[in-house]
Amino acid sequence: MKKKFSLIAMAGAALLLLTACGTTAVTSSSTNLWDQIVYGFAQVIRFLSFGGLTGVGIILFTIVIRAALLPLMNIQIKSSQRMQEIQPEIKKIQAKYPSKDMESRRLMNEEIQKLYAENKVNPYMGCLPLVVQMPVLWALYQALSRVDFLKHGTFLWFEIGAKDPTFILPILAAVFTFLSSYLMMKSAPERNAMTTSMTYIMPIFILIMGVNFAAGIALYWVISNAFQVFQTMLLANPYKIIAAREAKVQVEKDKIKAREKALKKVRKK
């Protein structure tokens, strides 16, 4: 988990460097490569804005991006699930080497790497989709905030380029962010403090940003996180995972009972 957050932080830092000077308006005459990518995203959103409704374009484009990233997200989810399943074994190995000396650290890492290999787990694979999608999602965010023709117009009850006066979009974005994290956490055999805290901190973070940012950006967060909830239920339904895990435990219990019953019959004879 710490490695995952480290990679996310590194990717975020790279994006900040990439866009450090990217606060001016982006137009068709922009020459910077990143600005051209942002403007390209904006053009696609305008193409998808049927009836001239930028809100429709934002919704459709967000769905297209999320759908395109679905295979990568599937890899991330499956990798995270396998990591969750072997966490108890990792903790046993860590408890086996409580000492902090170099030799103990080396032996512990060797055993953990062996466990990864036996279970066909790559601890970095779960982070790859996050790193890949961040530039894409950040370019979309900048298209909504830096391209002039996307910042104007109304959709439903709000102005695309103004803050949502009703706070409905920020609240929905926070709710869907929480549901997405909660569903992923629910299927974990064990929970740690970092995962639990992020489940509650991220929705608050999204809510604060949604209240202060343009409604078009808040709309993107609503659709993106709602899609994430749908994706989780489709690819990693926690209720099915829990049911399968409980069924597996019950099978083992039934085997033990059958073995004990057979031993009792042998003893009676």
Side-chain angles (χ1 to χ4, degrees):
M1 184 61 70
K2 289 181 180 179
K3 291 179 180 178
K4 180 180 288 189
F5 282 108
S6 295
L7 284 175
I8 294 173
M10 289 171 61
L15 284 175
L16 287 175
L17 288 173
L18 181 64
T19 58
C21 300
T23 56
T24 58
V26 174
T27 66
S28 58
S29 59
S30 297
T31 57
N32 181 279
L33 177 60
W34 176 252
D35 288 351
Q36 290 177 0
I37 293 172
V38 170
Y39 191 76
F41 274 45
Q43 289 284 54
V44 174
I45 292 174
R46 181 157 66 175
F47 174 77
L48 294 172
S49 298
F50 296 105
L53 297 173
T54 304
V56 173
I58 293 170
I59 292 171
L60 293 177
F61 185 71
T62 305
I63 292 173
V64 168
I65 290 296
R66 279 293 187 176
L69 291 172
L70 200 57
L72 284 177
M73 295 306 296
N74 187 31
I75 292 172
Q76 178 197 1
I77 289 171
K78 299 302 181 185
S79 178
S80 296
Q81 286 177 343
R82 287 195 292 269
M83 285 293 294
Q84 290 171 0
E85 294 295 335
I86 65 172
Q87 279 305 307
E89 296 300 319
I90 292 177
K91 287 186 176 181
K92 288 180 182 178
I93 294 173
Q94 291 172 338
K96 183 179 175 182
Y97 298 98
S99 178
K100 300 295 183 181
D101 62 273
M102 293 295 293
E103 182 62 16
S104 296
R105 298 290 92 184
R106 184 184 66 80
L107 292 172
M108 182 186 72
N109 289 330
E110 284 181 0
E111 286 201 32
I112 291 176
Q113 291 301 321
K114 184 179 178 181
L115 181 65
Y116 287 156
E118 289 173 350
N119 290 274
K120 297 180 180 180
V121 171
N122 186 333
Y124 296 101
M125 190 58 69
C127 306
L128 179 60
L130 292 174
V131 175
V132 170
Q133 73 173 320
M134 285 183 73
V136 176
L137 299 181
W138 190 255
L140 174 58
Y141 160 74
Q142 290 227 323
L144 295 174
S145 60
R146 297 177 60 199
V147 180
D148 189 64
F149 62 75
L150 290 186
K151 295 190 291 184
H152 301 290
T154 60
F155 182 68
L156 298 178
W157 67 89
F158 55 87
E159 292 281 341
I160 294 294
K163 298 175 184 178
D164 180 1
T166 65
F167 304 117
I168 292 175
L169 290 176
I171 291 171
L172 285 176
V175 168
F176 282 123
T177 299
F178 171 76
L179 285 176
S180 174
S181 299
Y182 174 77
L183 289 171
M184 287 299 295
M185 182 180 68
K186 186 175 180 62
S187 62
E190 296 184 4
R191 299 176 186 178
N192 58 54
M194 182 177 291
T195 302
T196 302
S197 61
M198 289 301 293
T199 299
Y200 295 97
I201 291 173
M202 281 305 297
I204 296 173
F205 181 64
I206 290 293
L207 176 63
I208 293 172
M209 289 196 298
V211 168
N212 290 283
F213 285 15
I217 297 170
L219 175 63
Y220 152 69
W221 279 327
V222 170
I223 303 304
S224 181
N225 290 316
F227 191 95
Q228 181 80 13
V229 171
F230 164 76
Q231 171 186 284
T232 301
M233 294 301 293
L234 178 67
L235 301 177
N237 189 315
Y239 301 100
K240 291 182 178 179
I241 293 172
I242 292 170
R245 188 180 298 136
E246 290 176 349
K248 186 178 179 180
V249 171
Q250 188 59 48
V251 167
E252 292 300 319
K253 288 181 179 179
D254 291 342
K255 285 181 179 179
I256 293 172
K257 287 181 180 179
R259 193 179 303 118
E260 290 175 350
K261 189 175 180 180
L263 286 172
K264 286 180 180 179
K265 286 183 179 181
V266 171
R267 288 167 186 168
K268 286 180 179 180
K269 292 179 180 180

